[in-house]
């Protein structure tokens, strides 16, 4: 079982506040003999705005010594999870959840914006203090 990211519970609470039901914590991605763990699985209740949507969320704090290295690892993990989800759970959309601090200090830099625009990485930006979703980037 993977170690929880330091912002895991804040992201989970933000999703719940936004009307999502947490279905899996962690979300197990099993492809044949390989088992991986994404941080959260979530579904939107039928009556809500985004009827029937299902998510898998990987939480990343970006607190390492090198933010570029953190981004490289997040992109690699995102690609692996996305490829496997396309095979086993194509109805689920994969997002990377980050803090508003990481977004404002690193994700708005030119180099990061260039990489994110090329990669088309779906992101959920969460205010860790209020545990609220600030932005969905698709």
């Amino acid at each position: 079982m993977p170690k929880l990211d330091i912002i895991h519970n804040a992201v989970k609470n933000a999703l719940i506040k936004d009307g999502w039901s947490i279905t899996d914590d962690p979300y197990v991605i099993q492809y044949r003999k390989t088992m991986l763990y994404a941080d959260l699985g979530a579904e939107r209740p039928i009556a809500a705005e985004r009827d029937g949507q299902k998510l898998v969320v990987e939480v990343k704090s970006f607190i390492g010594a090198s933010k570029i290295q953190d981004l490289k690892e997040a992109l690699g993990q995102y690609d692996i999870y996305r490829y496997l989800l396309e095979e086993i759970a194509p109805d689920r959309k994969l997002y990377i959840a980050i803090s508003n601090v990481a977004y404002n200090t690193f994700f708005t830099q030119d180099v990061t914006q260039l990489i994110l625009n090329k990669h088309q990485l779906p992101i959920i930006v969460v205010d860790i203090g209020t545990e609220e979703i600030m932005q969905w980037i698709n």
Side-chain angles (χ1 to χ4, degrees):
M1 197 70 73
K3 180 179 171 188
L4 295 180
D5 194 282
I6 62 169
I7 64 170
H8 179 94
N9 288 331
V11 170
K12 181 178 175 179
N13 292 335
L15 286 166
I16 293 169
K17 279 185 179 178
D18 198 50
W20 293 89
S21 297
I22 304 301
T23 58
D24 305 89
D25 184 6
Y27 182 84
V28 177
I29 300 172
Q30 184 169 1
Y31 181 76
R32 299 184 180 161
K33 294 181 180 178
T34 301
M35 191 172 303
L36 301 171
Y37 299 91
D39 289 309
L40 297 167
E43 292 181 3
R44 188 72 123 172
I46 298 294
E49 181 179 330
R50 298 178 211 162
D51 291 345
Q53 274 194 327
K54 296 178 181 179
L55 307 178
V56 173
V57 179
E58 182 61 26
V59 179
K60 295 293 178 195
S61 60
F62 286 86
I63 57 171
S66 168
K67 306 295 183 268
I68 290 292
Q69 182 62 34
D70 289 347
L71 181 60
K72 287 166 49 178
E73 291 174 11
L75 291 174
Q77 192 173 22
Y78 175 84
D79 285 341
I80 291 168
Y81 287 2
R82 183 172 53 104
Y83 300 147
L84 296 177
L85 287 170
E86 286 173 358
E87 296 296 318
I88 64 168
D91 59 331
R92 289 193 179 264
K93 183 164 183 173
L94 178 60
Y95 282 87
I96 299 290
I98 63 171
S99 72
N100 57 320
V101 173
Y103 183 77
N104 292 331
T105 60
F106 178 63
F107 280 73
T108 55
Q109 294 180 7
D110 292 343
V111 67
T112 313
Q113 285 293 305
L114 173 68
I115 294 166
L116 294 176
N117 287 336
K118 296 281 186 188
H119 201 281
Q120 301 291 309
L121 185 69
I123 299 172
I124 303 170
V125 181
V126 175
D127 183 321
I128 300 306
T130 62
E131 298 185 341
E132 294 178 352
I133 294 175
M134 304 304 297
Q135 188 174 1
W136 294 84
I137 302 170
N138 289 297

